[in-house]
Amino acid sequence: MEEHNASVILLQEYDFEKRFNDQEAIQWMQENWSKSFFFSLLYAAVIFGGQRVMKQRRGFDLRRPLVLWSFTLAIFSIIGAIRTGGYMCNILLSNGFKQSVCDRGFYNGPVSKFWAYAFALSKVPELGDTLFIVLRKQKLIFLHWYHHITVLLYSWYTYKDVVAGGGWFMTMNYTVHAFMYSYYTLRAAGIHVPRPCAMFITFTQILQMVMGTLINVLVYKWMQSGTCLSSLDNIFWSTLMYLSYLILFCNFFYNSYVKAPRKNKGD
C-alpha cells in the first residue's frame, strides 16, 4: 500500500502526523465500521424524538454554543483542506490527474494519513449540527439529515477498504466544509453575510457532487485495466450517493435562490 513516492512528499510533516499509526486505524475501521449504523440509528432517534419533545416547548437561543461549535468545525475543516489539498496538489503536479484519482497512498501518506482517518471519524461529531436545529426549533429538511447519515455510513465503509478516489472525495469535502462552517460561524455570530455567499457555498456543494460522480466513472474505467484498485460495490454505493446528493442540492439551490417566492392571494 506504499504507493506514495519521494517526489510527492514535499509537505512538512508535523510530529503528530508522523507518529500516527495508519495500519492500526485501518484495522480498527475494518473491525468496527458497522458501528456507523448504530450511530446513525441513535442520531435518527435523538433528532426525531427531540422534535417531538420540543413541539410544545419554546426553542432555545444557543447562539454562543453554536458560534463555538461552528468555529471549531471551521478550523478543523480549514486545516484538513490545507493538509489534504497540499498532498493532492503534489500528486497532481508530480504524477498527473490519473494518478491523483487512482492513488491509494492518501490513506498512509506521512501528511495525509492522519487527516484521512480524522475525516472519517469527524462524521460522528458533525451529527451534532442537527441538534442545534432541533433545539432552536428551526426547519429540518430531508437533505440535511439524509446527508449526515449517508456520509457517515459511506465514509466508514470506504475508509476500511482503502480504495481509489478517496483522496479526491475527502479533500473536496474538507474544502467545502471550510467555507460552509465559516459561513455558519459568521451567521451564528450575528454578522451579516451577503446572499451570494450562501449561493456560492451551495454551488460548490453541487460541483462537489458532479466531480464525485466523475471520479467514480473514471475509477470504474481505469479499474478495468488494473490501474485503479476499487470494487464494484464501492463504486455503486458511492455513485448512488453522489447522484442523490446532486439531485437534492440542485433542488435546494433552485428553491432557495432561483424560484420566485410565492405571493399571498391578497398581494
Side-chain angles (χ1 to χ4, degrees):
M1 208 165 63
E2 297 288 334
E3 294 189 14
H4 54 276
N5 56 51
S7 64
V8 172
I9 307 306
L10 301 176
L11 297 175
Q12 179 185 353
E13 305 163 41
Y14 293 106
D15 189 51
F16 74 93
E17 294 171 334
K18 188 182 301 184
R19 289 187 289 105
F20 178 73
N21 192 321
D22 55 288
Q23 295 303 313
E24 287 185 2
I26 292 170
Q27 182 179 351
W28 185 91
M29 193 63 78
Q30 290 172 343
E31 296 171 355
N32 296 279
W33 81 273
S34 59
K35 290 180 179 177
S36 60
F37 287 98
F38 167 77
F39 288 121
S40 298
L41 290 172
L42 179 62
Y43 166 75
V46 169
I47 62 172
F48 293 118
Q51 282 190 317
R52 291 180 66 89
V53 171
M54 292 297 297
K55 195 170 184 179
Q56 304 301 326
R57 298 170 180 263
R58 294 183 61 181
F60 296 96
D61 180 25
L62 300 179
R63 181 175 295 274
R64 290 183 179 178
L66 182 56
V67 171
L68 180 61
W69 175 264
S70 299
F71 179 72
T72 301
L73 289 175
I75 294 300
F76 169 75
S77 300
I78 290 169
I79 297 173
I82 292 172
R83 302 306 281 167
T84 58
Y87 177 91
M88 291 301 291
C89 283
N90 279 328
I91 290 284
L92 284 164
L93 293 174
S94 60
N95 295 325
F97 177 70
K98 183 176 182 179
Q99 181 57 36
S100 75
V101 173
C102 297
D103 174 70
R104 294 167 67 232
F106 186 88
Y107 297 88
N108 64 308
V111 170
S112 58
K113 61 182 181 179
F114 170 83
W115 295 101
Y117 190 54
F119 174 87
L121 294 184
S122 70
K123 298 309 163 189
V124 175
E126 282 182 6
L127 299 176
D129 290 353
T130 319
L131 280 178
F132 285 98
I133 293 176
V134 171
L135 294 176
R136 298 175 77 201
K137 295 193 72 170
Q138 295 180 319
K139 184 179 179 181
L140 177 61
I141 62 175
F142 172 76
L143 170 58
H144 179 94
W145 61 264
Y146 168 76
H147 180 261
H148 271 300
I149 288 177
T150 49
V151 166
L152 167 59
L153 293 175
Y154 180 72
S155 295
W156 284 39
Y157 169 74
T158 194
Y159 181 88
K160 71 178 176 60
D161 293 330
V162 194
V163 294
W168 270 97
F169 297 154
M170 296 184 204
T171 303
M172 288 191 298
N173 194 258
Y174 266 130
T175 304
V176 170
H177 277 202
F179 287 110
M180 184 182 77
Y181 282 113
S182 296
Y183 169 78
Y184 288 162
T185 301
L186 295 174
R187 284 286 304 273
I191 299 173
H192 173 71
V193 182
R195 180 181 173 87
C197 291
M199 296 176 66
F200 169 77
I201 291 171
T202 306
F203 183 68
T204 60
Q205 290 171 317
I206 292 172
L207 287 180
Q208 179 189 352
M209 307 318 162
V210 172
M211 190 65 183
T213 304
L214 175 61
I215 293 296
N216 279 320
V217 171
L218 293 175
V219 169
Y220 176 78
K221 176 183 177 182
W222 292 328
M223 188 176 70
Q224 310 308 310
S225 60
T227 308
C228 278
L229 295 178
S230 187
S231 67
L232 289 177
D233 284 347
N234 194 288
I235 293 173
F236 171 78
W237 290 117
S238 181
T239 303
L240 183 64
M241 179 184 72
Y242 273 115
L243 286 175
S244 67
Y245 292 165
L246 179 59
I247 293 170
L248 290 170
F249 275 104
C250 284
N251 182 65
F252 177 80
F253 187 92
Y254 173 76
N255 288 325
S256 299
Y257 309 118
V258 178
K259 186 179 179 182
R262 289 184 178 181
K263 294 185 177 180
N264 295 327
K265 290 183 178 180
D267 291 347

